[in-house]
Coordinates of all heavy atoms in Angstrom, one line a residue:
A281 N 35.3 42.0 12.5 CA 36.8 42.0 12.2 C 37.4 43.3 12.9 O 38.6 43.3 13.0 CB 37.1 42.0 10.8
D287 N 40.6 46.6 9.2 CA 39.7 47.5 8.5 C 39.4 47.0 7.1 O 40.0 47.5 6.1 CB 40.4 49.0 8.5 CG 39.5 50.0 7.8 OD1 38.2 49.8 7.8 OD2 39.9 51.0 7.4
L288 N 38.5 46.1 7.0 CA 38.2 45.4 5.8 C 36.7 45.4 5.6 O 35.9 45.3 6.6 CB 38.7 44.0 5.7 CG 40.2 43.8 5.5 CD1 40.6 42.3 5.7 CD2 40.7 44.4 4.2
P289 N 36.2 45.4 4.4 CA 34.7 45.3 4.2 C 34.2 43.9 4.8 O 34.9 42.9 4.7 CB 34.5 45.3 2.7 CG 35.8 45.9 2.2 CD 36.8 45.5 3.1
P290 N 33.0 43.9 5.5 CA 32.5 42.7 6.1 C 32.4 41.5 5.2 O 32.7 40.5 5.5 CB 31.1 43.2 6.6 CG 31.2 44.6 6.8 CD 32.1 45.1 5.7
K291 N 32.0 41.8 3.9 CA 31.9 40.6 3.0 C 33.3 40.0 2.6 O 33.4 38.8 2.4 CB 31.3 41.1 1.6 CG 29.8 41.3 1.7 CD 29.3 41.6 0.3 CE 27.7 41.9 0.3 NZ 27.2 42.2 -1.1
K292 N 34.3 40.9 2.6 CA 35.7 40.4 2.4 C 36.1 39.5 3.5 O 36.7 38.5 3.3 CB 36.7 41.6 2.2 CG 38.1 41.2 2.0 CD 38.4 40.5 0.7 CE 39.9 40.3 0.5 NZ 40.1 39.5 -0.7
V293 N 35.9 40.0 4.7 CA 36.2 39.1 5.9 C 35.5 37.8 5.9 O 36.1 36.8 6.0 CB 35.9 39.9 7.2 CG1 36.1 39.0 8.4 CG2 36.8 41.1 7.2
R294 N 34.2 37.9 5.7 CA 33.3 36.7 5.6 C 33.8 35.7 4.5 O 34.0 34.6 4.8 CB 31.9 37.2 5.3 CG 30.8 36.1 5.1 CD 29.7 36.6 4.3 NE 30.0 36.7 2.9 CZ 29.1 37.3 2.1 NH1 27.9 37.8 2.4 NH2 29.5 37.4 0.7
E355 N 26.0 39.9 5.5 CA 27.3 40.5 5.1 C 28.4 40.0 6.1 O 29.5 40.0 5.7 CB 27.3 41.9 4.9 CG 26.5 42.4 3.7 CD 26.4 43.9 3.7 OE1 27.0 44.6 4.6 OE2 25.8 44.4 2.7

Side-chain angles (χ1 to χ4, degrees):
D287 185 18
L288 290 173
K291 284 186 181 180
K292 176 67 174 175
V293 173
R294 177 198 72 185
E355 289 174 1

